[in-house]
Amino acid sequence: MQFLENFTPELTISSPGRINFIGEHTDYNMGYVLPTAIGNTITFKLAKNGYQNSCNVHSVGYEGFSFDLDKIAISDTEWQNYVLGVLNEISKLTDKVKGFDCTIESNLPLGSGLSSSAAMECGLAFGLNELFDLGLSKITIVELSQRAEHTYVGTQCGIMDQFASVMSKEGHVILLDCQSLEFQHIPIDIKPYKILMLNTKVSHNLASSEYNTRKKECEEGVAIMRKKNPHIKSLRDVTSEMLETSKNEMTKTVYNRCSFIIDENQRVLDMVNAFKQNDLKTVGEILYEAHHGISKLYEVSCPESDFLVNLAKTNPSILGARQTGGGFGGCTLNIIHKDAINSFTAIASREYSKKFNIQLDAFEVQPSGGTCIL
């Protein structure tokens, strides 16, 4: 793009991806989650360009595009909607944004379940807030980024990904109550273990439509149980006993979805207690239990993820593993002894290639801070 020839950034922003230790699909059900940002980030370089409405965005690995702030509309090119959606939401809050140029570079593997989408939304919103002195709070940036994904991307996501991308603290996980948005930073120290991510390289292109389907199935369960329990607003308000009394009125699928969410909320709280007591054995057991639910009850796993989790179970140096992220691929999260990382990675790569003819990606992550100015 022409602007790149003389581009001098005024501001550089780093916006991280995230992992979620536990609490999958509970966020849009107003439940609990336990995410943290990681060191893999998207970097934004921004500068005002002197124009009133003209903007240029270049993303390394994609074709750049230009647009007019007065004529923002949904694009046929999916990745552009993360940018346009954020600007659409900001325009409802302030008219201070003027013409700007921006470059975007990511070391977050796309489709890996590490929430490159939230990193994209939050990083741009954070950067524009700083560049034009918009005065938006961190929580406003989180909320407008979530709305951008709803309105322009079309994924009815909960708030966890954006919250983790902005609000994370190094060396901690976030216990977030998605109903009240109250949160605590929980310190974690898992030495001598580390967090090893195995990227299945299976793109979760099913995830967006199936994500919305899961949301509807949960809402259907809530509507059925509300007939007997009028106070229920979401699955957050439902106990196992309430679910059982309405079991015969719902399909097996809807029952399984609700059952998973109720159990998963409890797993979040149990894992927080395990981290506080440094009970890593229990942390690992909860991960395996959660993956079983993800695969059999919520049905958002895939053969590749199941294979890697089952392989982890055969290795005594791994305390626990599960698929993390929206589902249908992405990464498995493994709590593994540091001395076993190389040998297990070699075994997993060999066996995975033999089974699926796909080269496995393995990398370590650690709890990191949120979106910031570099």
Side-chain angles (χ1 to χ4, degrees), residues 222 224-233 242 245-246:
V222 167
I224 291 167
M225 288 181 280
R226 195 180 285 136
K227 293 172 190 171
K228 293 177 181 171
N229 305 275
H231 72 281
I232 291 173
K233 291 189 179 71
M242 290 176 195
T245 59
S246 295

Side-chain angles (χ1 to χ4, degrees), residues 115-305:
S115 204
S116 54
S117 56
M120 175 79 86
E121 293 148 0
C122 294
L124 181 64
F126 193 98
L128 293 173
N129 188 46
E130 294 293 331
L131 188 65
F132 293 102
D133 195 20
L134 304 181
L136 305 177
S137 68
K138 282 188 174 182
I139 194 64
T140 299
I141 288 169
V142 168
E143 290 171 339
L144 77 84
S145 297
Q146 180 197 19
R147 290 196 302 273
E149 188 139 349
H150 288 189
T151 55
Y152 267 55
V153 182
T155 303
Q156 298 301 308
C157 63
I159 204 164
M160 173 184 70
D161 294 349
Q162 291 82 6
F163 201 97
S165 193
V166 174
M167 309 295 273
S168 286
K169 183 177 176 182
E170 189 174 349
H172 294 69
V173 290
I174 302 173
L175 171 60
L176 171 63
D177 179 337
C178 295
Q179 183 166 271
S180 66
L181 295 189
E182 290 176 1
F183 68 100
Q184 298 174 46
H185 286 113
I186 310 290
I188 68 166
D189 180 6
I190 62 171
K191 295 187 193 75
Y193 290 85
K194 292 197 168 184
I195 306 164
L196 177 70
M197 308 300 291
L198 299 179
N199 186 357
T200 63
K201 299 268 194 75
V202 178
S203 177
H204 57 295
N205 50 7
L206 265 179
S208 193
S209 60
E210 288 294 331
Y211 194 105
N212 295 342
T213 299
R214 294 298 178 282
K215 190 167 185 277
K216 283 179 186 154
E217 288 164 344
C218 291
E219 287 165 355
E220 186 182 327
V222 167
I224 291 167
M225 288 181 280
R226 195 180 285 136
K227 293 172 190 171
K228 293 177 181 171
N229 305 275
H231 72 281
I232 291 173
K233 291 189 179 71
S234 68
L235 285 177
R236 164 63 174 277
D237 305 321
V238 176
T239 64
S240 297
E241 292 73 26
M242 290 176 195
L243 178 62
E244 291 308 313
T245 59
S246 295
K247 181 177 182 178
N248 294 335
E249 295 161 50
M250 53 182 76
T251 64
K252 188 182 180 197
T253 297
V254 168
Y255 172 81
N256 284 346
R257 304 298 191 247
C258 294
S259 179
F260 169 78
I261 296 296
I262 293 166
D263 290 345
E264 187 79 345
N265 271 323
Q266 187 57 49
R267 281 191 282 267
V268 175
L269 301 178
D270 291 345
M271 187 173 278
V272 168
N273 288 333
F275 273 134
K276 285 179 175 177
Q277 294 162 22
N278 207 32
D279 181 359
L280 298 184
K281 181 172 178 288
T282 297
V283 168
E285 289 167 355
I286 293 170
L287 289 176
Y288 282 137
E289 191 183 300
H291 185 79
H292 181 267
I294 286 165
S295 180
K296 307 303 179 194
L297 297 179
Y298 219 67
E299 297 182 276
V300 292
S301 187
C302 62
E304 293 84 355
S305 294

Side-chain angles (χ1 to χ4, degrees), residues 298-350:
Y298 219 67
E299 297 182 276
V300 292
S301 187
C302 62
E304 293 84 355
S305 294
D306 290 344
F307 177 84
L308 290 173
V309 171
N310 287 332
L311 190 64
K313 287 178 181 174
T314 67
N315 192 313
S317 296
I318 297 176
L319 297 179
R322 74 169 186 89
Q323 178 186 268
T324 185
F328 306 102
C331 290
T332 62
L333 180 156
N334 303 262
I335 306 291
I336 181 171
H337 196 284
K338 63 182 175 62
D339 295 339
I341 289 174
N342 290 341
S343 60
F344 176 68
T345 299
I347 292 165
S349 298
R350 185 184 70 233

